[in-house]
PDB file of all heavy atoms in Angstrom:
ATOM      1  N   GLY N 201     -38.622 246.934-128.037  1.00  0.00           N
ATOM      2  CA  GLY N 201     -39.893 247.036-127.330  1.00  0.00           C
ATOM      3  C   GLY N 201     -39.929 246.317-126.005  1.00  0.00           C
ATOM      4  O   GLY N 201     -41.006 245.988-125.499  1.00  0.00           O
ATOM      5  N   ASN N 202     -38.764 246.072-125.411  1.00  0.00           N
ATOM      6  CA  ASN N 202     -38.689 245.362-124.139  1.00  0.00           C
ATOM      7  C   ASN N 202     -38.304 246.314-123.009  1.00  0.00           C
ATOM      8  O   ASN N 202     -37.605 247.307-123.233  1.00  0.00           O
ATOM      9  CB  ASN N 202     -37.636 244.248-124.210  1.00  0.00           C
ATOM     10  CG  ASN N 202     -38.025 243.169-125.195  1.00  0.00           C
ATOM     11  OD1 ASN N 202     -38.817 242.289-124.898  1.00  0.00           O
ATOM     12  ND2 ASN N 202     -37.473 243.253-126.392  1.00  0.00           N
ATOM     13  N   PRO N 203     -38.715 246.006-121.782  1.00  0.00           N
ATOM     14  CA  PRO N 203     -38.317 246.845-120.645  1.00  0.00           C
ATOM     15  C   PRO N 203     -36.848 246.649-120.301  1.00  0.00           C
ATOM     16  O   PRO N 203     -36.228 245.657-120.693  1.00  0.00           O
ATOM     17  CB  PRO N 203     -39.219 246.341-119.506  1.00  0.00           C
ATOM     18  CG  PRO N 203     -39.520 244.920-119.870  1.00  0.00           C
ATOM     19  CD  PRO N 203     -39.622 244.911-121.376  1.00  0.00           C
ATOM     20  N   GLU N 204     -36.280 247.578-119.545  1.00  0.00           N
ATOM     21  CA  GLU N 204     -34.899 247.476-119.112  1.00  0.00           C
ATOM     22  C   GLU N 204     -34.718 246.250-118.224  1.00  0.00           C
ATOM     23  O   GLU N 204     -35.607 245.883-117.466  1.00  0.00           O
ATOM     24  CB  GLU N 204     -34.501 248.738-118.352  1.00  0.00           C
ATOM     25  CG  GLU N 204     -33.047 248.772-117.930  1.00  0.00           C
ATOM     26  CD  GLU N 204     -32.655 250.108-117.337  1.00  0.00           C
ATOM     27  OE1 GLU N 204     -33.192 251.138-117.786  1.00  0.00           O
ATOM     28  OE2 GLU N 204     -31.821 250.126-116.408  1.00  0.00           O
ATOM     29  N   ASN N 205     -33.572 245.600-118.327  1.00  0.00           N
ATOM     30  CA  ASN N 205     -33.304 244.373-117.582  1.00  0.00           C
ATOM     31  C   ASN N 205     -32.024 244.542-116.770  1.00  0.00           C
ATOM     32  O   ASN N 205     -30.929 244.641-117.328  1.00  0.00           O
ATOM     33  CB  ASN N 205     -33.168 243.193-118.555  1.00  0.00           C
ATOM     34  CG  ASN N 205     -33.192 241.855-117.859  1.00  0.00           C
ATOM     35  OD1 ASN N 205     -32.514 241.667-116.858  1.00  0.00           O
ATOM     36  ND2 ASN N 205     -33.966 240.924-118.385  1.00  0.00           N
ATOM     37  N   ASP N 206     -32.171 244.570-115.449  1.00  0.00           N
ATOM     38  CA  ASP N 206     -31.010 244.772-114.578  1.00  0.00           C
ATOM     39  C   ASP N 206     -30.057 243.588-114.594  1.00  0.00           C
ATOM     40  O   ASP N 206     -28.884 243.726-114.220  1.00  0.00           O
ATOM     41  CB  ASP N 206     -31.465 245.028-113.137  1.00  0.00           C
ATOM     42  CG  ASP N 206     -32.169 246.364-112.983  1.00  0.00           C
ATOM     43  OD1 ASP N 206     -31.913 247.254-113.813  1.00  0.00           O
ATOM     44  OD2 ASP N 206     -32.996 246.495-112.063  1.00  0.00           O
ATOM     45  N   GLU N 207     -30.546 242.419-115.009  1.00  0.00           N
ATOM     46  CA  GLU N 207     -29.732 241.206-114.957  1.00  0.00           C
ATOM     47  C   GLU N 207     -28.813 241.047-116.164  1.00  0.00           C
ATOM     48  O   GLU N 207     -27.875 240.249-116.127  1.00  0.00           O
ATOM     49  CB  GLU N 207     -30.646 239.965-114.865  1.00  0.00           C
ATOM     50  CG  GLU N 207     -31.638 239.987-113.718  1.00  0.00           C
ATOM     51  CD  GLU N 207     -30.959 239.855-112.375  1.00  0.00           C
ATOM     52  OE1 GLU N 207     -29.823 239.362-112.339  1.00  0.00           O
ATOM     53  OE2 GLU N 207     -31.565 240.250-111.360  1.00  0.00           O
ATOM     54  N   ILE N 208     -29.075 241.778-117.225  1.00  0.00           N
ATOM     55  CA  ILE N 208     -28.314 241.556-118.458  1.00  0.00           C
ATOM     56  C   ILE N 208     -26.865 242.020-118.294  1.00  0.00           C
ATOM     57  O   ILE N 208     -26.586 243.048-117.665  1.00  0.00           O
ATOM     58  CB  ILE N 208     -28.991 242.263-119.649  1.00  0.00           C
ATOM     59  CG1 ILE N 208     -28.448 241.722-120.972  1.00  0.00           C
ATOM     60  CG2 ILE N 208     -28.832 243.776-119.563  1.00  0.00           C
ATOM     61  CD1 ILE N 208     -29.264 242.140-122.169  1.00  0.00           C
ATOM     62  N   LEU N 209     -25.943 241.238-118.840  1.00  0.00           N
ATOM     63  CA  LEU N 209     -24.520 241.577-118.812  1.00  0.00           C
ATOM     64  C   LEU N 209     -24.109 242.322-120.066  1.00  0.00           C
ATOM     65  O   LEU N 209     -23.300 243.248-120.027  1.00  0.00           O
ATOM     66  CB  LEU N 209     -23.683 240.309-118.673  1.00  0.00           C
ATOM     67  CG  LEU N 209     -23.937 239.409-117.465  1.00  0.00           C
ATOM     68  CD1 LEU N 209     -23.048 238.173-117.523  1.00  0.00           C
ATOM     69  CD2 LEU N 209     -23.708 240.171-116.173  1.00  0.00           C
ATOM     70  N   GLY N 210     -24.645 241.883-121.202  1.00  0.00           N
ATOM     71  CA  GLY N 210     -24.287 242.468-122.478  1.00  0.00           C
ATOM     72  C   GLY N 210     -24.948 241.704-123.603  1.00  0.00           C
ATOM     73  O   GLY N 210     -25.786 240.826-123.370  1.00  0.00           O
ATOM     74  N   ALA N 211     -24.574 242.035-124.831  1.00  0.00           N
ATOM     75  CA  ALA N 211     -25.155 241.380-125.998  1.00  0.00           C
ATOM     76  C   ALA N 211     -24.118 241.304-127.112  1.00  0.00           C
ATOM     77  O   ALA N 211     -23.249 242.171-127.227  1.00  0.00           O
ATOM     78  CB  ALA N 211     -26.387 242.131-126.480  1.00  0.00           C
ATOM     79  N   LEU N 212     -24.221 240.267-127.918  1.00  0.00           N
ATOM     80  CA  LEU N 212     -23.332 240.088-129.063  1.00  0.00           C
ATOM     81  C   LEU N 212     -24.140 240.280-130.339  1.00  0.00           C
ATOM     82  O   LEU N 212     -25.171 239.623-130.536  1.00  0.00           O
ATOM     83  CB  LEU N 212     -22.701 238.698-129.045  1.00  0.00           C
ATOM     84  CG  LEU N 212     -21.530 238.488-130.011  1.00  0.00           C
ATOM     85  CD1 LEU N 212     -20.315 239.271-129.536  1.00  0.00           C
ATOM     86  CD2 LEU N 212     -21.172 237.007-130.118  1.00  0.00           C
ATOM     87  N   VAL N 213     -23.686 241.193-131.209  1.00  0.00           N
ATOM     88  CA  VAL N 213     -24.383 241.477-132.459  1.00  0.00           C
ATOM     89  C   VAL N 213     -23.358 241.582-133.583  1.00  0.00           C
ATOM     90  O   VAL N 213     -22.158 241.735-133.340  1.00  0.00           O
ATOM     91  CB  VAL N 213     -25.188 242.795-132.375  1.00  0.00           C
ATOM     92  CG1 VAL N 213     -26.216 242.724-131.246  1.00  0.00           C
ATOM     93  CG2 VAL N 213     -24.273 244.000-132.184  1.00  0.00           C
ATOM     94  N   ALA N 214     -23.832 241.528-134.810  1.00  0.00           N
ATOM     95  CA  ALA N 214     -22.944 241.663-135.969  1.00  0.00           C
ATOM     96  C   ALA N 214     -22.401 243.086-136.040  1.00  0.00           C
ATOM     97  O   ALA N 214     -23.140 244.053-135.848  1.00  0.00           O
ATOM     98  CB  ALA N 214     -23.699 241.328-137.249  1.00  0.00           C
ATOM     99  N   ASP N 215     -21.106 243.230-136.307  1.00  0.00           N
ATOM    100  CA  ASP N 215     -20.536 244.575-136.371  1.00  0.00           C
ATOM    101  C   ASP N 215     -20.861 245.291-137.677  1.00  0.00           C
ATOM    102  O   ASP N 215     -20.520 246.460-137.860  1.00  0.00           O
ATOM    103  CB  ASP N 215     -19.027 244.556-136.127  1.00  0.00           C
ATOM    104  CG  ASP N 215     -18.259 243.799-137.209  1.00  0.00           C
ATOM    105  OD1 ASP N 215     -18.874 243.406-138.227  1.00  0.00           O
ATOM    106  OD2 ASP N 215     -17.051 243.598-137.035  1.00  0.00           O
ATOM    107  N   SER N 216     -21.549 244.604-138.579  1.00  0.00           N
ATOM    108  CA  SER N 216     -22.027 245.258-139.803  1.00  0.00           C
ATOM    109  C   SER N 216     -23.232 246.145-139.502  1.00  0.00           C
ATOM    110  O   SER N 216     -23.618 246.972-140.329  1.00  0.00           O
ATOM    111  CB  SER N 216     -22.396 244.210-140.849  1.00  0.00           C
ATOM    112  OG  SER N 216     -23.396 243.325-140.348  1.00  0.00           O
ATOM    113  N   CYS N 217     -23.827 245.949-138.315  1.00  0.00           N
ATOM    114  CA  CYS N 217     -24.953 246.779-137.895  1.00  0.00           C
ATOM    115  C   CYS N 217     -24.418 248.110-137.375  1.00  0.00           C
ATOM    116  O   CYS N 217     -23.724 248.140-136.363  1.00  0.00           O
ATOM    117  CB  CYS N 217     -25.763 246.073-136.800  1.00  0.00           C
ATOM    118  SG  CYS N 217     -26.424 244.474-137.290  1.00  0.00           S
ATOM    119  N   LYS N 218     -24.733 249.174-138.057  1.00  0.00           N
ATOM    120  CA  LYS N 218     -24.223 250.494-137.678  1.00  0.00           C
ATOM    121  C   LYS N 218     -25.141 251.195-136.676  1.00  0.00           C
ATOM    122  O   LYS N 218     -24.694 252.058-135.923  1.00  0.00           O
ATOM    123  CB  LYS N 218     -24.048 251.364-138.917  1.00  0.00           C
ATOM    124  CG  LYS N 218     -23.130 250.751-139.969  1.00  0.00           C
ATOM    125  CD  LYS N 218     -21.757 250.409-139.386  1.00  0.00           C
ATOM    126  CE  LYS N 218     -20.848 249.809-140.440  1.00  0.00           C
ATOM    127  NZ  LYS N 218     -19.541 249.371-139.872  1.00  0.00           N
ATOM    128  N   ILE N 219     -26.425 250.845-136.711  1.00  0.00           N
ATOM    129  CA  ILE N 219     -27.386 251.423-135.778  1.00  0.00           C
ATOM    130  C   ILE N 219     -28.207 250.286-135.181  1.00  0.00           C
ATOM    131  O   ILE N 219     -28.289 249.195-135.738  1.00  0.00           O
ATOM    132  CB  ILE N 219     -28.319 252.449-136.467  1.00  0.00           C
ATOM    133  CG1 ILE N 219     -29.021 251.802-137.660  1.00  0.00           C
ATOM    134  CG2 ILE N 219     -27.551 253.685-136.887  1.00  0.00           C
ATOM    135  CD1 ILE N 219     -30.032 252.688-138.340  1.00  0.00           C
ATOM    136  N   TYR N 220     -28.845 250.544-134.051  1.00  0.00           N
ATOM    137  CA  TYR N 220     -29.564 249.499-133.334  1.00  0.00           C
ATOM    138  C   TYR N 220     -30.724 248.934-134.147  1.00  0.00           C
ATOM    139  O   TYR N 220     -31.087 247.764-134.000  1.00  0.00           O
ATOM    140  CB  TYR N 220     -30.068 250.038-131.996  1.00  0.00           C
ATOM    141  CG  TYR N 220     -28.957 250.254-131.000  1.00  0.00           C
ATOM    142  CD1 TYR N 220     -28.241 251.454-130.966  1.00  0.00           C
ATOM    143  CD2 TYR N 220     -28.591 249.255-130.109  1.00  0.00           C
ATOM    144  CE1 TYR N 220     -27.204 251.654-130.074  1.00  0.00           C
ATOM    145  CE2 TYR N 220     -27.553 249.440-129.208  1.00  0.00           C
ATOM    146  CZ  TYR N 220     -26.868 250.645-129.193  1.00  0.00           C
ATOM    147  OH  TYR N 220     -25.842 250.828-128.311  1.00  0.00           O
ATOM    148  N   TYR N 221     -31.314 249.755-134.995  1.00  0.00           N
ATOM    149  CA  TYR N 221     -32.452 249.302-135.778  1.00  0.00           C
ATOM    150  C   TYR N 221     -32.043 248.351-136.899  1.00  0.00           C
ATOM    151  O   TYR N 221     -32.898 247.763-137.544  1.00  0.00           O
ATOM    152  CB  TYR N 221     -33.210 250.516-136.335  1.00  0.00           C
ATOM    153  CG  TYR N 221     -33.719 251.401-135.229  1.00  0.00           C
ATOM    154  CD1 TYR N 221     -32.981 252.504-134.809  1.00  0.00           C
ATOM    155  CD2 TYR N 221     -34.899 251.103-134.558  1.00  0.00           C
ATOM    156  CE1 TYR N 221     -33.415 253.295-133.767  1.00  0.00           C
ATOM    157  CE2 TYR N 221     -35.336 251.888-133.504  1.00  0.00           C
ATOM    158  CZ  TYR N 221     -34.599 252.982-133.118  1.00  0.00           C
ATOM    159  OH  TYR N 221     -35.018 253.757-132.069  1.00  0.00           O
ATOM    160  N   ASP N 222     -30.751 248.223-137.132  1.00  0.00           N
ATOM    161  CA  ASP N 222     -30.261 247.262-138.115  1.00  0.00           C
ATOM    162  C   ASP N 222     -30.117 245.858-137.536  1.00  0.00           C
ATOM    163  O   ASP N 222     -29.954 244.890-138.280  1.00  0.00           O
ATOM    164  CB  ASP N 222     -28.881 247.691-138.650  1.00  0.00           C
ATOM    165  CG  ASP N 222     -28.967 248.912-139.549  1.00  0.00           C
ATOM    166  OD1 ASP N 222     -30.074 249.187-140.052  1.00  0.00           O
ATOM    167  OD2 ASP N 222     -27.946 249.586-139.730  1.00  0.00           O
ATOM    168  N   VAL N 223     -30.130 245.733-136.215  1.00  0.00           N
ATOM    169  CA  VAL N 223     -29.845 244.446-135.569  1.00  0.00           C
ATOM    170  C   VAL N 223     -31.015 243.486-135.756  1.00  0.00           C
ATOM    171  O   VAL N 223     -32.128 243.744-135.280  1.00  0.00           O
ATOM    172  CB  VAL N 223     -29.546 244.625-134.072  1.00  0.00           C
ATOM    173  CG1 VAL N 223     -29.297 243.263-133.422  1.00  0.00           C
ATOM    174  CG2 VAL N 223     -28.342 245.540-133.875  1.00  0.00           C
ATOM    175  N   GLU N 224     -30.765 242.392-136.434  1.00  0.00           N
ATOM    176  CA  GLU N 224     -31.781 241.355-136.624  1.00  0.00           C
ATOM    177  C   GLU N 224     -31.644 240.250-135.585  1.00  0.00           C
ATOM    178  O   GLU N 224     -32.635 239.684-135.136  1.00  0.00           O
ATOM    179  CB  GLU N 224     -31.669 240.764-138.037  1.00  0.00           C
ATOM    180  CG  GLU N 224     -32.050 241.727-139.145  1.00  0.00           C
ATOM    181  CD  GLU N 224     -33.527 242.083-139.132  1.00  0.00           C
ATOM    182  OE1 GLU N 224     -34.323 241.264-138.641  1.00  0.00           O
ATOM    183  OE2 GLU N 224     -33.871 243.186-139.599  1.00  0.00           O
ATOM    184  N   VAL N 225     -30.403 239.923-135.240  1.00  0.00           N
ATOM    185  CA  VAL N 225     -30.138 238.838-134.289  1.00  0.00           C
ATOM    186  C   VAL N 225     -29.152 239.320-133.237  1.00  0.00           C
ATOM    187  O   VAL N 225     -28.120 239.908-133.567  1.00  0.00           O
ATOM    188  CB  VAL N 225     -29.558 237.591-135.002  1.00  0.00           C
ATOM    189  CG1 VAL N 225     -29.230 236.507-133.984  1.00  0.00           C
ATOM    190  CG2 VAL N 225     -30.541 237.064-136.038  1.00  0.00           C
ATOM    191  N   GLY N 226     -29.463 239.101-131.990  1.00  0.00           N
ATOM    192  CA  GLY N 226     -28.552 239.442-130.907  1.00  0.00           C
ATOM    193  C   GLY N 226     -28.626 238.414-129.806  1.00  0.00           C
ATOM    194  O   GLY N 226     -29.719 237.977-129.436  1.00  0.00           O
ATOM    195  N   PHE N 227     -27.493 237.972-129.310  1.00  0.00           N
ATOM    196  CA  PHE N 227     -27.448 237.055-128.177  1.00  0.00           C
ATOM    197  C   PHE N 227     -27.259 237.865-126.900  1.00  0.00           C
ATOM    198  O   PHE N 227     -26.323 238.650-126.786  1.00  0.00           O
ATOM    199  CB  PHE N 227     -26.302 236.051-128.333  1.00  0.00           C
ATOM    200  CG  PHE N 227     -26.686 234.799-129.071  1.00  0.00           C
ATOM    201  CD1 PHE N 227     -26.519 234.699-130.435  1.00  0.00           C
ATOM    202  CD2 PHE N 227     -27.224 233.717-128.382  1.00  0.00           C
ATOM    203  CE1 PHE N 227     -26.863 233.543-131.116  1.00  0.00           C
ATOM    204  CE2 PHE N 227     -27.581 232.561-129.049  1.00  0.00           C
ATOM    205  CZ  PHE N 227     -27.405 232.470-130.423  1.00  0.00           C
ATOM    206  N   MET N 228     -28.161 237.672-125.937  1.00  0.00           N
ATOM    207  CA  MET N 228     -28.138 238.385-124.666  1.00  0.00           C
ATOM    208  C   MET N 228     -27.467 237.528-123.591  1.00  0.00           C
ATOM    209  O   MET N 228     -27.820 236.357-123.420  1.00  0.00           O
ATOM    210  CB  MET N 228     -29.560 238.738-124.221  1.00  0.00           C
ATOM    211  CG  MET N 228     -30.382 239.446-125.284  1.00  0.00           C
ATOM    212  SD  MET N 228     -29.702 241.069-125.700  1.00  0.00           S
ATOM    213  CE  MET N 228     -30.683 241.481-127.146  1.00  0.00           C
ATOM    214  N   PHE N 229     -26.530 238.121-122.849  1.00  0.00           N
ATOM    215  CA  PHE N 229     -25.766 237.390-121.837  1.00  0.00           C
ATOM    216  C   PHE N 229     -26.271 237.694-120.428  1.00  0.00           C
ATOM    217  O   PHE N 229     -26.461 238.858-120.068  1.00  0.00           O
ATOM    218  CB  PHE N 229     -24.279 237.761-121.928  1.00  0.00           C
ATOM    219  CG  PHE N 229     -23.569 237.184-123.116  1.00  0.00           C
ATOM    220  CD1 PHE N 229     -23.814 237.664-124.394  1.00  0.00           C
ATOM    221  CD2 PHE N 229     -22.649 236.158-122.954  1.00  0.00           C
ATOM    222  CE1 PHE N 229     -23.160 237.127-125.493  1.00  0.00           C
ATOM    223  CE2 PHE N 229     -21.993 235.614-124.044  1.00  0.00           C
ATOM    224  CZ  PHE N 229     -22.251 236.102-125.320  1.00  0.00           C
TER     225      PHE N 229
END
């Protein structure tokens, strides 16, 4: 539910998440 961010480099998430809606925790770089 967030707007697009031009500054973001990437994100680290658990690889057990097969779809984006599974992601509970993500670190944004």
Side-chain angles (χ1 to χ4, degrees):
N202 295 279
E204 184 173 326
N205 193 313
D206 291 336
E207 305 291 339
I208 196 167
L209 302 178
L212 193 70
V213 301
D215 64 7
S216 58
C217 301
K218 303 304 180 184
I219 56 176
Y220 288 87
Y221 300 95
D222 289 340
V223 178
E224 292 293 334
V225 177
F227 271 92
M228 309 295 170
F229 287 72

